[in-house]
Amino acid sequence: MKESFRQCMAWLHTWVGLVVGWILFFVFVTGTAGYVDDEITRWMEPERPLPAQVLPEQSSHMLDQALTQLQAHAPEAKAWTITLPHQALNPRATQGLSIAWEEMPQPGQRGRRGGENLDPTTGQILPEVEPRATAGGTGLYRMHYALHYMPYPVAIWLVGICTMLMLLAVITGVVTHKKIFTDFFTFRPGKGQRSWLDAHNIVSVMSLPFFLMITYTGLIFFMSIYMPTGRDVMYGPTEAGRQAYFQDIRFQNRAFLPVSLPQASLGEMMHSAEQQWGKNSIASIQITHPQDSQAYVELRRTGVTGVYWTRAETLRFNAIDGRAMEPEDTSNLTGDTHRVLLALHEGVFAEWWMRWLYFISGLLGCAVIGTGLVLWTVKRRTQHQKRMAKASTLSATERFDAAGLRLVEILNAGTLAGLPLGLAAYFWANRLLPVTMADRAAWEFHALFLVWGWSFLFASWRPLKRAWLELLWLTTTAYALIPVLNMLTTDRHLGITLPYGDWGLAGFDLTMLGLAATFAYIAIKMKRKWHIASLQQKATAPARLQTAGVNS
């Protein structure tokens, strides 16, 4: 009975993984890119200046200049925010002096937001740089749940169904592998199907916590779409109940008065905060006036992370007399749960080292899906070759199975090697398309899907092993030349970004070289493995012929 149950779980794990594997691979590739979406966007907008390397000195002067600009640009705003020059622990958070505001919102809505970058010395508004049109990293991140070329509701449901099946595949995979932790330390290279299974087991165990977290949280924060019953029970099935639900999530159920200059000294508030946090530890200052309480000034600390959206510790002071205020309890179960799950899924709280951990975990997720898809074809190909060796002719069912196997092999090569090639084409298009081209951002995506689609045609035209190797070497070359292309077309290349210490931009080019090395390694290993297998097959062929002659 127990063995039958495990066989059932193995069947579910195999076929669920195959049916949704190619879509999940696309979701994981684009979702993994979302963990570095800011860096990708910066790279794809080379017109933007390098971040100013300024020290947070003369804070009082900068605050006066920023408040003057806020009074001029947003006199009736709901909130003012001043971001001071700082370098947070996360390199992507390098900031200059900037101001931001939110206009007074309509009930249940968000107010329009605005902002300007200021010169830290003069306080004047810096001229706006208009970068080239691009979807950047945000476009890749959006594709991992909204896909492309299809209506948003259809994409959300399709990704949701695939994610649910993925969660089922993860659970059945754990049940199936009764020696899951033993398998983690077992890898037998050069053993064909056994090697692919070992690789699949190792990367699966390594990324298992990430897999469970990412699939569960991905389902939960879209649960109001997939399963709205819980929301309807708590808030009611009407449109008013739906709006109340979203207001709780976004904290939009509170009225505000227009903000004004604080009467208390901001300098004294900053001095008090630095006594508690340390010198030069203030990231931003926000001034707000809720209608049902006193106006306050909130100071946020640099370099402190957490699973909430704020990602920073805060101190609050009364805007009238400057006395310290207790943090206001604005929590609610719906909003807190939503923000925690969303923060875990997107890694918005992560410092640089944890963001790299998210990124590597995402790549391991791609490896789990890829090795699983290849394992399916390797196993079926072995069975098919054994049947062909025994039978002189194939039945209609066997010919149908062979055609299905060939289709899966084409889809595997076109997706596992072709999609990364398409992603490289996305970056190439950013540098090669004319800057003034109409619908330029859309054509970056078109380049991705055109190259990806071509990969399927290429894999169907070429012999399978050659298609794999040629696609892998094309992908290797495409990624290796991205830093070269960047150097030839912009002044934001490694020769500039490394000496400047801009690890956000430099990290992108270095990551492209790392991906190129990874694909080259895979191509070399696959070619070597196939060459050895071919030699072994040739060596055993005379023995088989001799045995066949004796038997005849």
Side-chain angles (χ1 to χ4, degrees), residues 446-466:
H446 297 336
L448 188 160
F449 285 98
L450 284 171
V451 172
W452 188 17
W454 171 84
S455 300
F456 290 115
L457 296 177
F458 184 81
S460 63
W461 170 61
R462 298 287 287 166
L464 180 65
K465 292 181 179 180
R466 289 186 181 180

Side-chain angles (χ1 to χ4, degrees), residues 178-219:
K178 55 186 176 181
K179 297 180 180 179
I180 185 169
F181 293 108
T182 303
D183 291 341
F184 176 69
F185 297 100
T186 304
F187 180 65
R188 287 154 283 192
K191 300 296 183 181
Q193 178 184 331
R194 183 71 253 178
S195 299
W196 282 107
L197 181 59
D198 289 344
H200 182 69
N201 290 339
I202 290 172
V203 292
S204 296
V205 176
M206 289 177 64
S207 58
L208 180 60
F210 178 79
F211 253 101
L212 290 172
M213 181 275 291
I214 213 71
T215 52
Y216 180 75
T217 55
L219 287 169

Side-chain angles (χ1 to χ4, degrees), residues 75-304:
E76 298 291 325
K78 166 192 165 183
W80 289 345
T81 302
I82 303 171
T83 301
L84 297 172
H86 67 274
Q87 171 72 58
L89 295 181
N90 188 341
R92 62 173 18 198
T94 302
Q95 297 288 340
L97 177 63
S98 65
I99 57 173
W101 60 86
E102 180 182 350
E103 296 180 2
M104 293 298 295
Q106 298 296 321
Q109 299 181 6
R110 291 182 183 271
R112 290 191 303 173
R113 298 174 183 270
E116 298 285 357
N117 293 316
L118 305 182
D119 186 302
T121 303
T122 66
Q124 297 301 307
I125 294 175
L126 295 174
E128 182 65 26
V129 176
E130 186 175 352
R132 63 189 64 190
T134 178
T138 304
L140 294 177
Y141 164 75
R142 178 179 168 79
M143 278 203 303
H144 97 281
Y145 63 88
L147 303 182
H148 205 63
Y149 303 125
M150 66 174 57
Y152 182 81
V154 176
I156 287 294
W157 274 101
L158 179 59
V159 172
I161 292 170
C162 291
T163 305
M164 178 61 74
L165 292 175
M166 175 182 168
L167 185 60
L168 177 62
V170 172
I171 295 172
T172 53
V174 173
V175 174
T176 301
H177 297 295
K178 55 186 176 181
K179 297 180 180 179
I180 185 169
F181 293 108
T182 303
D183 291 341
F184 176 69
F185 297 100
T186 304
F187 180 65
R188 287 154 283 192
K191 300 296 183 181
Q193 178 184 331
R194 183 71 253 178
S195 299
W196 282 107
L197 181 59
D198 289 344
H200 182 69
N201 290 339
I202 290 172
V203 292
S204 296
V205 176
M206 289 177 64
S207 58
L208 180 60
F210 178 79
F211 253 101
L212 290 172
M213 181 275 291
I214 213 71
T215 52
Y216 180 75
T217 55
L219 287 169
I220 288 298
F221 67 74
F222 277 125
M223 193 58 70
S224 63
I225 297 176
Y226 302 142
M227 297 180 65
T229 304
R231 182 196 69 200
D232 292 347
V233 169
M234 293 293 296
Y235 292 89
T238 63
E239 180 63 21
R242 181 175 175 273
Q243 291 300 324
Y245 167 75
F246 286 111
Q247 286 178 20
D248 270 353
I249 287 179
R250 300 167 183 166
F251 291 126
Q252 295 176 355
N253 51 355
R254 195 174 190 187
F256 291 84
L257 295 176
V259 70
S260 59
L261 285 174
Q263 298 180 21
S265 169
L266 289 180
E268 292 181 2
M269 298 179 195
M270 293 179 63
H271 178 71
S272 177
E274 288 183 338
Q275 283 186 321
Q276 182 170 337
W277 292 338
K279 192 69 173 175
N280 300 331
S281 57
I282 300 171
S284 65
I285 300 169
Q286 186 177 77
I287 307 170
T288 315
H289 191 175
Q291 195 173 55
D292 55 357
S293 66
Q294 184 58 260
Y296 63 85
V297 177
E298 187 172 79
L299 278 63
R300 294 187 179 184
R301 183 182 180 184
T302 62
V304 179

Side-chain angles (χ1 to χ4, degrees), residues 41 45 47 64 87 97 141 173 180 188 217 230 233 270 275 285 307 316 324 353 379 397 420 503 512 523 548:
T41 300
E45 295 179 343
E47 294 79 12
D64 291 341
Q87 171 72 58
L97 177 63
Y141 164 75
I180 185 169
R188 287 154 283 192
T217 55
V233 169
M270 293 179 63
Q275 283 186 321
I285 300 169
V307 293
R316 185 172 293 188
W353 60 269
K379 183 177 181 180
T397 301
W503 290 104
M512 295 300 102

Side-chain angles (χ1 to χ4, degrees), residues 389-552:
K390 293 180 180 179
S392 57
T393 60
L394 295 177
S395 65
T397 301
E398 289 173 332
R399 287 196 296 270
F400 179 80
D401 290 342
L405 176 61
R406 173 61 178 166
L407 175 62
V408 173
E409 289 175 334
I410 292 171
L411 290 174
N412 282 352
T415 300
L416 303 182
L419 178 57
L421 180 61
L423 188 60
Y426 179 69
F427 300 133
W428 275 73
N430 175 262
R431 289 297 190 259
L432 296 181
L433 292 176
V435 175
T436 58
M437 179 180 182
D439 297 325
R440 189 179 188 281
W443 274 101
E444 290 178 350
F445 284 127
H446 297 336
L448 188 160
F449 285 98
L450 284 171
V451 172
W452 188 17
W454 171 84
S455 300
F456 290 115
L457 296 177
F458 184 81
S460 63
W461 170 61
R462 298 287 287 166
L464 180 65
K465 292 181 179 180
R466 289 186 181 180
W468 266 106
L469 292 176
E470 289 163 356
L471 283 173
L472 285 170
W473 282 118
L474 277 173
T475 305
T476 298
T477 305
Y479 280 104
L481 291 180
I482 285 176
V484 179
L485 177 66
N486 185 36
M487 181 181 63
L488 295 175
T489 55
T490 75
D491 59 353
R492 295 290 182 267
H493 51 81
L494 288 172
I496 299 294
T497 55
L498 281 176
Y500 193 81
D502 189 341
W503 290 104
L505 286 180
F508 181 95
D509 283 337
L510 293 174
T511 300
M512 295 300 102
L513 295 176
L515 289 174
T518 300
F519 285 112
Y521 174 79
I522 295 172
I524 292 171
K525 292 292 289 186
M526 291 183 73
K527 182 178 181 179
R528 183 177 301 168
K529 172 183 175 299
W530 286 335
H531 179 67
I532 294 174
S534 176
L535 292 177
Q536 292 175 342
Q537 187 176 8
K538 290 179 180 179
T540 56
R544 290 200 305 269
L545 291 174
Q546 184 177 4
T547 303
V550 172
N551 292 337
S552 63

Side-chain angles (χ1 to χ4, degrees), residues 299-365:
L299 278 63
R300 294 187 179 184
R301 183 182 180 184
T302 62
V304 179
T305 60
V307 293
Y308 285 96
W309 277 107
T310 60
R311 294 184 290 171
E313 291 182 353
T314 61
L315 289 176
R316 185 172 293 188
F317 298 89
N318 189 298
I320 304 300
D321 56 23
R323 60 181 172 83
M325 300 173 62
E326 289 294 326
E328 192 172 9
D329 185 13
T330 57
S331 63
N332 65 70
L333 185 59
T334 302
D336 290 350
T337 302
H338 182 270
R339 282 193 305 281
V340 168
L341 293 177
L342 188 59
L344 285 172
H345 188 84
E346 295 184 334
V348 295
F349 63 93
E351 297 179 17
W352 68 268
W353 60 269
M354 186 171 286
R355 187 162 291 274
W356 270 108
L357 184 60
Y358 264 87
F359 182 76
I360 293 171
S361 298
L363 293 180
L364 287 175

Side-chain angles (χ1 to χ4, degrees), residues 55-64 84 97 120-121 270 280:
L55 296 174
E57 298 172 349
Q58 300 179 331
S59 298
S60 178
H61 174 71
M62 288 190 291
L63 287 176
D64 291 341
L84 297 172
L97 177 63
T121 303
M270 293 179 63
N280 300 331

